[in-house]
């Protein structure tokens, strides 16, 4: 078995690991680094529960080989709250009842963050497009869309 | 949200502190920070991964199983077959006297549906387990399969499950669960119109985002902790105890948050074999369905076929309703005999009909076993009943809401299964629905009350 | 044994590694890593070429060349490729688009491979590299042999003539909005002169095991008005030569039944 060394920044802290070549980023995050916030819902790129940001771009950790993330900056849902302070998206999801079973929530918030980072004032259609790769099988899409729009509004209010 | 207090005003207190108030969800903080622990959100050193060898046939005799090559494969630690399972015959609901035991944990002699578990491979990595699965050789003799309920009930059909002696569940009332009220033939004679229609549905998969699975850890002293996403903790504990012939205190089931269940995680499929694997290897074992297994292997809502025959008078009274409901259990019972019975109790719907005859059949076919899902046994029946109500209203030229209001059950009405109706509120729901949607119903229908006895 | 990744900077070396049994070329991973995750034990090696040229987009007057490693997301964001935006936007969600590549899409089996449908309508050329030097193959020939002669080829780029303004059309019918697996995908280049259709190239997805041209319909459009009556003969011929796939999304019968409806909408979109 070929072990390879990989280094990347995970939620602001430097990580270095030896992993089997061909290991997915999802397995490295969960099994090596105990960041369980990305979930393995399908391992085929259809559910979005493993969504993470790699250098600011949304990626599916289940289809991304860890070796291809050498030197990258990785953000996960688990690292979004800073020093116990929730991200506006997290507050909006909680306040807006945008969670049901919770399994898709991390991926939904990551996908929404990818949107708001580029487009701080999205339309409803922009939000729908941004979460179109994320499945909420509890089918709570309306509160999720509402929460993302609310977070965007809260952000703009705070900055004003 | 609006609470309309004009209905049942005398039954409502105005000093309620929770009803009508918005309260934060107790689990919201964990969910939005992605800290909520699901069963798979933990690792244990030395965990083995279990992958299943499954039947490629709908129905076949197992002539021989050769696991020797798989056992020698690098990374494979243990291979399990039927003979390794202490009590390899179970049915989840035997705990509540819905027998007989009719399903194997790992198939022996026969497979009865495409996807049935035959051999379990435990390996150091998921990849090694997949490779081990590919090395198991099974010699099958394909048998005629029956994939349709009508064909399964026809004379001379292949026998799906020998434990039942026929392709239907034997209730104490015979080949179907029966409900009888009045005289349905007499009711049809009183009717101005008779409408007989057949409704059918296909199986429906729950497709939870988190797939079915468990992780088992040996704790020493022959005791095991099983982290599981079961929706039925005590069914799981008790059935695992029976299958493994281990006292319950040796099995520590840890549940918690389920990543979507919808009834699809009540069948006790992954836990017993994973605990057995942990017991026989002394190592933690992870058995988690892949997406394809979740879609193809986990039990769906049953396919149903429902034949409704109704007698209705010109002035809108349903005087007779006859129901023949067929529920496709697939190859094994799981929760279907119970769901079928539930359906029988649910017919003829929330309507007061003097003459009713119901026969609900739980049918075995060589399809994926079906089981619980959100109102199983009832949901498809309600679809059929309400489409039928629309058709009946159209047949006699009556507004569909008014037609339902005429027939809606009221407090004190005797239901077909002899229980008096309590707290019906159906009339008031339809009145309010008509009001808010501006659906035009005659004023006299707003005078009705579910608390007033029928003339 | 796990599936190991080998990264090369030299295309000949990559091609040599790819020739080994069990090796497969890794583009964005949306198809290949899925195969590994799902337990395809025939897959033993990922082979990858780390060459910046594979990530390049060149828009010259009249012609576009897109590196095989360019992602759908990069196409969507490229100012010179506006006309391809509809096609790229309808592939996966944002995360898939940040992974899925042009080269990988050429190998995607139906119901995937919508971008290849667009390339077929654009009459693209597929540029291959490898031990025996560079080679250009018309996309239709490439698709016909992608599982055989070109199964282990290394696609370096695709190129095509830029269609005249407003002549490229794309539609993907799916059951879920805004994105879902394809029921049918149709791409077309359609030009008119003097109110009559003067040029038509139509490519269909999910109507066979690979994207295919609707040649009978193309021929039937020439010289016809862009009206419901004018295109009716072409719609009647739309299914000629098709063998629609059956999968969990739709039956072959259904795909065949709705094809003329969607083709009609596509052809009349601006009429």
């Amino acid at each position: 078995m070929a072990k390879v060394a990989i280094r990347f920044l995970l939620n602001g802290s430097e990580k270095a690991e030896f992993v089997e070549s061909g290991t997915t980023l999802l397995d490295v995050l969960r099994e090596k680094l105990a960041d369980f916030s990305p979930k393995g819902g399908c391992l085929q790129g259809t559910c979005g529960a493993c969504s993470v940001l790699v250098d600011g771009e949304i990626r599916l950790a289940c289809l991304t080989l860890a070796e291809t993330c050498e030197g990258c900056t990785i953000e996960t849902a688990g690292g979004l709250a800073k020093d116990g302070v929730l991200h506006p998206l997290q507050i909006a999801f909680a306040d807006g009842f945008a969670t049901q079973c919770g399994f898709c929530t991390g991926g939904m918030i990551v996908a929404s963050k990818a949107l708001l980072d580029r487009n701080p004032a999205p339309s409803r259609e922009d939000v729908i497009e941004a979460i179109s790769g994320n499945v909420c099988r509890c089918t709570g899409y309306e509160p999720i869309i509402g929460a993302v729009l609310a977070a965007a509004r809260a952000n703009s209010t705070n900055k004003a | 949200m609006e609470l309309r207090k004009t209905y049942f005003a005398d039954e409502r207190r105005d000093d309620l502190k929770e009803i009508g108030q918005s309260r934060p969800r107790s689990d919201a903080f964990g969910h939005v920070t992605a800290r909520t622990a699901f069963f798979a959100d933990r690792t244990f050193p030395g965990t083995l991964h279990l992958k299943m060898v499954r039947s490629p046939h709908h129905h076949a005799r197992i002539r021989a199983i050769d696991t020797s090559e798989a056992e020698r494969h690098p990374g494979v630690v243990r291979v399990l077959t039927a003979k390794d399972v202490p009590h390899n015959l179970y049915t989840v609901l035997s705990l509540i006297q819905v027998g007989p035991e009719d399903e194997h944990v790992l198939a022996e002699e026969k497979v009865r549906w495409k996807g049935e578990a035959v051999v379990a491979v435990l390996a150091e990595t998921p990849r090694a387990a997949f490779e081990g699965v590919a090395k198991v050789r099974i010699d099958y003799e394909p048998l005629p399969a029956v994939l349709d309920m009508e064909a399964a009930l026809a004379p001379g059909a292949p026998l799906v499950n020998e434990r039942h002696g026929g392709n239907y569940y034997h209730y104490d009332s015979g080949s179907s669960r029966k409900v009888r009220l009045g005289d349905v033939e007499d009711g049809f004679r009183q009717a101005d119109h008779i409408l007989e229609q057949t409704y059918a549905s296909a199986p429906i998969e729950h497709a939870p985002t988190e797939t079915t699975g468990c992780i088992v850890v040996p704790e020493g002293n022959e005791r095991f902790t099983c982290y599981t996403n079961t929706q039925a903790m005590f069914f799981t504990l008790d059935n695992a105890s029976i299958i493994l012939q281990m006292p319950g205190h040796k099995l520590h089931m840890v549940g918690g948050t389920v990543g979507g269940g919808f009834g699809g995680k009540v069948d006790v499929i992954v836990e017993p074999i994973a605990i057995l694997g942990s017991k026989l290897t002394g190592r933690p074992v992870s058995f988690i369905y892949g997406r394809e297994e979740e879609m193809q292997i986990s039990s769906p809502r049953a396919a149903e076929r429902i034949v409704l025959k109704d007698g209705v008078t010109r002035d809108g009274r349903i005087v007779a309703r006859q129901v023949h409901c067929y529920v496709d259990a697939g190859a094994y019972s799981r929760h279907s005999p119970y769901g079928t019975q539930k359906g029988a109790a649910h017919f003829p719907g929330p309507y007061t009909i003097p003459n009713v005859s119901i026969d609900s059949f739980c049918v075995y076919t060589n399809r994926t076993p079906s089981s619980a899902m959100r109102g199983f046994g009832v949901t498809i029946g309600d679809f059929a009943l309400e489409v039928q109500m629309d058709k009946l209203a159209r047949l006699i030229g009556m507004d569909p809401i008014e037609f339902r209001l005429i027939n809606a059950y009221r407090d004190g009405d005797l239901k077909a299964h002899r229980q008096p109706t309590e707290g019906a509120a159906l009339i008031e729901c339809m009145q309010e629905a008509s009001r808010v949607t501006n659906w035009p119903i005659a004023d006299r229908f707003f005078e009705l009350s579910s608390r007033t006895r029928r003339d | 044994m796990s599936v190991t990744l080998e990264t090369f900077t030299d295309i000949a070396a990559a091609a040599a590694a790819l020739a080994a049994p069990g090796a497969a070329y890794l583009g964005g991973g949306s198809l290949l890593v899925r195969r590994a995750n799902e337990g395809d034990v025939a897959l033993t090696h990922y082979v990858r070429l780390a060459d910046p040229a594979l990530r390049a987009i060149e828009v010259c007057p009249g012609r576009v060349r897109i590196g095989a490693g360019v992602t759908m997301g990069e196409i969507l964001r490229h100012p010179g490729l506006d006309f391809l935006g509809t096609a790229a936007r309808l592939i996966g969600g944002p995360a898939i688009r940040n992974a899925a590549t042009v080269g990988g899409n050429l190998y995607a089996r139906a119901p995937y491979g919508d971008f290849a449908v667009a390339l077929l309508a654009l009459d693209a050329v597929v540029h291959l590299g490898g031990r025996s030097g560079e080679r250009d193959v018309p996309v239709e020939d490439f698709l016909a042999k992608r599982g055989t002669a070109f199964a282990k080829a290394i696609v370096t780029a695709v190129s095509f003539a830029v269609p005249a303004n407003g002549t490229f059309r794309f539609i993907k019918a799916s059951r879920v909005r805004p994105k879902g697996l394809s029921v049918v995908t149709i791409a077309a280049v359609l030009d008119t002169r003097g109110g009559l259709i003067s040029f038509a190239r139509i490519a269909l997805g999910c109507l066979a095991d690979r994207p295919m041209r609707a040649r009978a319909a193309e021929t039937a459009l020439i010289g016809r008005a862009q009206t419901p009556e004018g295109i009716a003969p072409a719609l009647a011929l739309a299914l000629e030569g098709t063998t629609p796939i059956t999968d969990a999304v739709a039956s072959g019968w259904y795909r065949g039944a709705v094809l003329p409806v969607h083709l009609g909408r596509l052809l009349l979109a601006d009429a």
Side-chain angles (χ1 to χ4, degrees):
Chain A
M1 292 190 190
K3 291 257 190 189
V4 292
I6 54 159
R7 287 195 314 171
F8 51 72
L9 213 57
L10 176 64
N11 298 321
S13 76
E14 203 173 324
K15 303 289 178 189
E17 286 290 332
F18 283 102
V19 304
E20 303 286 335
S21 175
T23 306
T24 62
L25 178 60
L26 181 66
D27 281 351
V28 172
L29 291 173
R30 291 177 59 88
E31 283 161 31
K32 293 274 184 181
L33 301 171
D35 181 348
F36 296 109
S37 64
K39 311 292 182 195
C42 69
L43 308 185
Q44 53 175 227
T46 51
C47 80
C50 68
S51 297
V52 297
L53 300 182
V54 177
D55 290 341
E57 277 198 347
I58 183 171
R59 298 294 297 264
L60 297 173
C62 78
L63 297 180
T64 305
L65 299 188
E67 291 147 278
T68 64
C69 299
E70 173 66 25
C72 293
T73 296
I74 294 168
E75 296 163 79
T76 66
L80 211 51
K82 298 275 185 253
D83 305 321
V85 179
L86 295 184
H87 186 278
L89 277 164
Q90 294 174 311
I91 295 168
F93 269 63
D95 288 352
F97 294 90
T99 66
Q100 286 189 52
C101 80
F103 197 79
C104 76
T105 308
M108 283 286 181
I109 289 179
V110 166
S112 306
K113 181 175 189 293
L115 169 70
L116 296 190
D117 285 351
R118 282 195 168 79
N119 178 1
S123 66
R124 182 183 157 84
E125 285 62 40
D126 293 334
V127 177
I128 291 171
E129 178 64 49
I131 62 166
S132 64
N134 296 70
V135 173
C136 167
R137 183 54 178 152
C138 306
T139 65
Y141 293 103
E142 281 301 321
I144 292 171
I145 295 164
V148 180
L149 292 170
R153 280 195 301 274
N155 260 344
S156 67
T157 311
N158 289 344
K159 276 170 195 148
Chain B
M1 189 169 72
E2 180 198 358
L3 284 178
R4 184 149 295 272
K5 296 185 178 178
T6 48
Y7 299 98
F8 309 111
D10 58 319
E11 289 185 15
R12 189 182 314 283
R13 291 166 50 189
D14 276 331
D15 58 349
L16 299 177
K17 293 188 171 57
E18 299 294 331
I19 303 292
Q21 302 297 317
S22 185
R23 300 280 185 230
R25 287 180 62 115
S26 60
D27 55 7
F29 184 82
H31 287 354
V32 301
T33 53
R35 296 296 167 106
T36 299
F38 293 84
F39 86 93
D41 294 345
R42 42 180 60 85
T43 54
F44 299 96
T47 297
L48 297 175
H49 299 265
L50 191 157
K51 300 289 178 195
M52 201 59 86
V53 180
R54 300 189 175 281
S55 164
H57 300 287
H58 295 296
H59 197 191
R61 193 168 308 288
I62 300 172
R63 286 205 197 98
I65 299 176
D66 179 2
T67 61
S68 54
E69 209 185 332
E71 282 166 39
R72 286 195 302 270
H73 189 76
V76 172
V77 173
R78 178 86 197 220
V79 178
L80 305 176
T81 60
K83 64 181 186 325
D84 295 304
V85 185
H87 181 73
N88 191 31
L89 189 66
Y90 78 114
T91 193
V92 180
L93 291 182
S94 65
L95 301 174
I96 54 168
Q97 288 76 51
V98 183
E101 293 176 314
D102 69 346
E103 182 165 5
H104 300 294
V105 175
L106 293 175
E108 42 183 85
E109 295 175 9
K110 259 176 73 168
V111 287
R112 296 176 179 83
W113 59 284
K114 189 175 169 180
E116 181 161 358
V118 187
V119 177
V121 176
L122 295 137
E124 302 283 355
T125 63
R127 169 75 183 196
F130 281 130
E131 289 171 351
V133 163
K135 302 254 163 150
V136 172
R137 301 278 168 263
I138 301 174
D139 183 14
Y140 292 103
E141 175 194 343
L143 299 170
V146 57
L147 302 174
D148 174 82
M149 286 191 282
E150 219 159 326
L153 292 176
L159 183 60
V160 174
N161 192 324
E162 295 75 4
R163 300 278 166 182
H164 296 286
N167 288 337
Y168 54 86
Y169 185 80
H170 289 266
Y171 289 97
D172 51 17
S173 52
S175 58
S176 63
R177 178 50 83 204
K178 299 180 200 299
V179 179
R180 301 286 187 269
L181 179 71
D183 180 340
V184 79
E185 291 307 327
D186 187 46
F188 287 135
R189 279 191 292 273
Q190 298 166 29
D192 296 314
H193 298 280
I194 290 173
L195 179 69
E196 183 175 324
Q197 298 280 286
T198 300
Y199 301 88
S201 69
I204 300 170
E205 167 55 32
H206 319 71
T209 318
E210 176 206 51
T211 61
T212 302
C214 68
I215 299 174
V216 179
V217 185
E219 306 288 7
N221 306 315
E222 287 285 287
R223 194 161 190 265
F224 298 86
T225 301
C226 177
Y227 301 92
T228 165
N229 60 6
T230 182
Q231 292 178 262
M233 190 57 75
F234 289 92
F235 274 10
T236 304
L237 172 64
D238 292 351
N239 278 292
S241 176
I242 293 167
I243 289 164
L244 300 169
Q245 299 286 289
M246 289 168 73
H249 67 85
K250 296 286 189 187
L251 302 170
H252 180 206
M253 298 288 167
V254 179
T257 301
V258 177
F262 320 115
K265 291 171 178 166
V266 298
D267 278 354
V268 195
I269 303 296
V270 292
E271 296 87 353
I273 193 71
I275 296 168
L276 180 65
S278 183
K279 188 178 179 199
L280 295 178
T281 60
R283 292 174 59 175
V285 169
S286 164
F287 181 18
I288 304 176
Y289 278 0
R291 176 50 49 188
E292 193 168 332
E293 283 178 307
E294 190 63 43
M295 304 303 279
Q296 297 286 340
I297 302 303
S298 79
S299 48
R301 181 195 294 283
E304 295 187 28
R305 183 155 56 234
I306 297 165
V307 184
L308 296 179
K309 183 179 175 185
D310 287 340
V312 65
T313 60
R314 265 184 296 272
D315 61 355
R317 284 303 312 266
I318 306 171
V319 288
R321 174 163 280 172
Q322 188 179 54
V323 182
H324 287 93
C325 174
Y326 303 87
V327 175
D328 191 342
Y332 297 105
S333 289
R334 305 263 174 110
H335 287 72
S336 288
Y338 165 74
T340 307
Q341 169 160 317
K342 197 145 66 85
H346 184 70
F347 291 117
Y351 304 105
T352 295
I353 300 171
N355 303 294
V356 175
S357 170
I358 300 161
D359 287 275
S360 285
F361 300 82
C362 174
V363 185
Y364 297 102
T365 65
N366 293 109
R367 297 178 79 180
T368 307
S370 62
S371 196
M373 182 178 187
R374 295 195 151 192
F376 68 120
V378 169
T379 315
I380 305 299
D382 273 335
F383 164 77
L385 286 172
E386 295 309 321
V387 175
Q388 180 86 352
M389 292 299 282
D390 285 345
K391 289 183 176 180
L392 288 169
R394 208 173 298 139
L395 185 66
I396 57 172
M398 189 173 275
D399 177 274
I401 299 288
E402 292 180 351
F403 176 63
R404 283 175 172 83
L405 282 162
I406 289 170
N407 291 285
Y409 64 178
R410 302 184 190 185
D411 292 352
D413 285 357
L414 194 67
K415 292 193 236 179
H417 55 62
R418 306 297 196 284
Q419 287 287 316
T421 303
E422 293 172 43
L426 176 61
I427 285 173
E428 287 75 11
C429 284
M430 289 193 286
Q431 287 168 338
E432 184 61 11
S434 304
R435 199 186 64 79
V436 298
T437 58
N438 293 316
W439 187 270
I441 59 172
D443 287 346
R444 64 189 168 93
F445 289 102
F446 281 107
E447 313 286 310
L448 299 178
S449 163
S450 59
R451 293 199 296 194
T452 312
R453 292 303 300 270
R454 208 173 280 285
D455 307 329
Chain C
M1 193 165 66
S2 64
V3 187
T4 52
L5 171 67
E6 297 173 72
T7 303
F8 299 89
T9 48
D10 174 54
I11 193 165
L18 192 57
Y25 191 85
L26 178 70
S30 57
L31 298 170
L32 201 58
V33 179
R34 170 180 177 170
R35 262 176 65 193
N37 288 345
E38 293 186 333
D40 182 347
V41 295
L43 178 65
T44 59
H45 289 75
Y46 302 114
V47 172
R48 185 172 68 132
L49 186 59
D51 179 351
L54 297 183
R55 308 296 301 268
I57 298 175
E58 296 166 42
V59 183
C60 309
R63 202 156 176 92
V64 169
R65 184 182 169 102
I66 305 175
V70 170
T71 66
M72 296 299 137
E74 286 162 344
I75 289 172
L76 192 53
R77 292 190 286 271
H78 196 283
L81 297 176
D82 280 350
F83 66 98
L84 281 175
T86 323
R89 188 178 292 108
L90 288 170
I91 291 170
I96 286 287
R97 291 198 288 272
N98 285 339
T101 62
V102 170
N105 204 272
L106 284 169
Y107 285 98
R109 287 173 171 277
Y112 304 105
D114 300 309
F115 199 76
V117 178
L119 291 175
L120 183 58
L122 292 165
D123 202 24
V125 172
V126 179
H127 304 281
L128 306 176
R131 280 181 293 185
S132 50
E134 296 195 359
R135 216 180 133 188
D136 296 344
V137 184
V139 66
E140 191 170 15
D141 296 350
F142 177 87
L143 291 169
K145 296 179 195 159
R146 66 180 178 181
T148 52
F150 301 128
K152 294 229 169 182
I154 296 181
V155 178
T156 55
V158 297
S159 67
F160 48 86
V162 177
N165 210 9
T167 60
F168 179 76
R169 298 150 184 259
F170 186 88
I171 191 171
K172 175 180 173 180
S174 59
R175 294 183 184 261
V176 185
R177 287 180 197 284
K179 74 120 192 171
L181 293 181
S182 170
V183 174
V184 296
T185 300
I186 314 171
V189 174
L190 190 76
D191 211 351
T192 55
R193 193 166 299 165
L196 299 178
I197 295 168
S198 59
F199 181 85
R201 201 190 295 122
I202 300 168
L204 309 174
C206 294
L207 274 300
D209 65 345
R210 58 179 181 269
M212 60 171 289
R213 287 275 292 277
R215 285 209 162 74
E218 290 171 5
T219 308
L221 285 171
I222 303 302
R224 306 283 300 185
Q226 201 182 349
T227 60
E229 301 72 34
I231 66 165
L235 299 189
L237 292 168
L239 277 169
E240 203 170 287
T242 62
T243 48
I245 62 158
T246 289
D247 60 14
V249 172
S251 66
W253 172 85
Y254 180 78
R255 285 187 158 99
V258 300
L259 172 68
V261 177
H262 292 291
L263 180 58
R265 286 180 193 163
L266 184 74
L267 295 174
L268 299 176
D270 57 344

